[in-house]
Amino acid sequence: MAKWTTADIPDQNGRVAVITGANTGLGFETAAALAERGAQVVLAVRNLEKGKDAESLIRRRSPGADVALQELDLTSLDSIRAAADQVRAAHDRIDLLINNAGVMYPPKSTTKDGFELQFGTNHLGHFAFTGLLLDRLLPVPGSRVVTVSSLGHRIRADIHFDDLQSERGYSRVRAYGQSKLANLLFTYELQRRLAAHGTTIATAAHPGGSDTELMRHLPRWAAAAYPLIKPLFQGADMGALPTLRAATDPGVLGGQYYGPDGFGEQRGYPTLVKSSRKSHDADTQQRLWTVSEELTGVVYPV
């Protein structure tokens, strides 16, 4: 079977793609590939200066690319609401919403709303942003919500409903695993709700082991070992392929999950992969959804 690459991305002219965390790494490569294929790309970024650099680089790669910047701080519900309002004012339709931004293994800290940083950014921030933009996707044939998870959804991962914000004790690995498991639980519950509302679908992807800025918060012992294992990791251009396939391949179905096809899903070309048994627990999906609406104050139209 042929390996899926950016050459397989269908023509994206006339489509609007909103990508969080698009100024660097996986998000940048995703944005650049979609812009090259003709999409109108909105780079939703926290740091506008870095966003401007990314926008300029995309335009150099693809002269005539249709790229716009949108300030978005996923650690602030106020920022998320403001960004959603601005995106809605600028676009009466969205074809692709790609929830890519994230943090991994930071020291213990909280968002501006008091949520544990990884759970608040990786899950709750995207939950709120998606809910506030969903009515711009629902009328659009073939629209998709793509959420980037991780192999980390299997590592010490559970949804700790009795301590979602890690107030009783903080493990950066456990908190990251919880947030990435939440990404998948969210995707599957969203797809269940979307199924009765037309053609919009929810999918997920993971990049395998990719060498990106996410690695900047590695624990000291892992940072020391990283130079030795770095050759096992792939570049952001390859790591972005599962997201791009989940977003654009005409054969993708709602609720599917894409990752690299190599050993242990660490590297390789994008293929359909399986997520953990916990991620498919319907009761947990629905309970997390209810809690997420309560914490963010965002109630979905589906």
Side-chain angles (χ1 to χ4, degrees):
M1 183 184 230
K3 302 294 188 180
W4 196 95
T5 71
T6 53
D8 295 297
I9 298 174
D11 180 15
Q12 298 294 299
N13 276 286
R15 307 193 83 202
V16 176
V18 179
I19 306 167
T20 69
N23 60 291
T24 188
L26 302 172
F28 172 80
E29 294 296 340
T30 301
L34 291 173
E36 184 178 14
R37 298 297 292 158
Q40 182 180 1
V41 176
V42 178
L43 311 179
V45 301
R46 182 176 60 84
N47 187 315
L48 285 178
E49 288 306 311
K50 290 183 178 180
K52 290 175 184 176
D53 291 341
E55 180 183 8
S56 296
L57 183 53
I58 290 172
R59 292 186 188 281
R60 289 200 297 273
R61 281 195 190 184
S62 303
D66 190 344
V67 189
L69 279 181
Q70 173 58 56
E71 186 172 14
L72 170 67
D73 181 355
L74 288 166
T75 71
S76 165
L77 288 172
D78 286 344
S79 173
I80 292 166
R81 290 182 182 279
D85 286 345
Q86 290 162 13
V87 171
R88 290 167 54 82
H91 303 281
D92 58 6
R93 62 175 286 161
I94 298 173
D95 296 81
L96 298 174
L97 173 57
I98 300 179
N99 294 322
N100 162 82
V103 292
M104 182 176 78
Y105 299 166
K108 185 176 181 180
S109 54
T110 61
T111 70
K112 295 174 178 64
D113 301 287
F115 306 133
E116 185 277 315
L117 186 63
Q118 296 183 86
F119 185 69
T121 303
N122 299 350
H123 170 61
L124 291 175
H126 282 124
F127 180 92
F129 194 53
T130 302
L132 293 167
L133 292 179
L134 194 60
D135 67 348
R136 287 294 190 263
L137 290 110
L138 289 175
V140 181
S143 59
R144 299 182 187 184
V145 176
V146 183
T147 301
V148 180
S149 185
S150 165
L151 288 170
H153 89 275
R154 298 179 179 274
I155 302 172
R156 298 189 61 191
D158 207 345
I159 305 299
H160 303 278
F161 288 106
D162 61 342
D163 190 25
L164 283 174
Q165 313 307 337
S166 301
E167 294 169 317
R168 297 180 188 172
Y170 179 69
S171 159
R172 46 179 104 190
V173 174
R174 187 183 76 163
Y176 182 68
Q178 174 177 254
S179 73
K180 293 288 105 178
L181 175 59
N183 288 155
L184 288 165
L185 292 162
F186 162 67
T187 295
Y188 299 146
E189 178 64 12
L190 177 58
Q191 174 55 33
R192 186 184 71 79
R193 290 166 179 256
L194 288 172
H197 287 267
T199 64
T200 303
I201 63 171
T203 66
H206 81 82
S210 295
D211 185 20
T212 70
E213 285 190 8
L214 267 184
M215 300 297 175
R216 65 186 180 277
H217 290 306
L218 287 176
R220 187 176 302 173
W221 64 266
Y226 186 65
L228 300 177
I229 62 174
K230 185 174 180 178
L232 301 177
F233 286 63
Q234 58 187 1
D237 57 338
M238 286 294 293
L241 288 180
T243 300
L244 286 163
R245 184 167 190 181
T248 66
D249 187 335
V252 169
L253 301 176
Q256 289 186 330
Y257 181 42
Y258 285 81
D261 64 359
F263 178 75
E265 299 173 23
Q266 273 289 119
R267 57 190 298 151
Y269 292 87
T271 192
L272 190 62
V273 296
K274 295 180 179 179
S275 61
S276 69
R277 185 171 63 182
K278 286 181 181 177
S279 70
H280 291 284
D281 186 279
D283 289 340
T284 305
Q285 292 166 10
Q286 292 166 25
R287 185 179 179 188
L288 178 64
W289 189 280
T290 299
V291 169
S292 299
E293 286 192 332
E294 292 171 351
L295 290 173
T296 64
V298 174
V299 177
Y300 274 57
V302 293

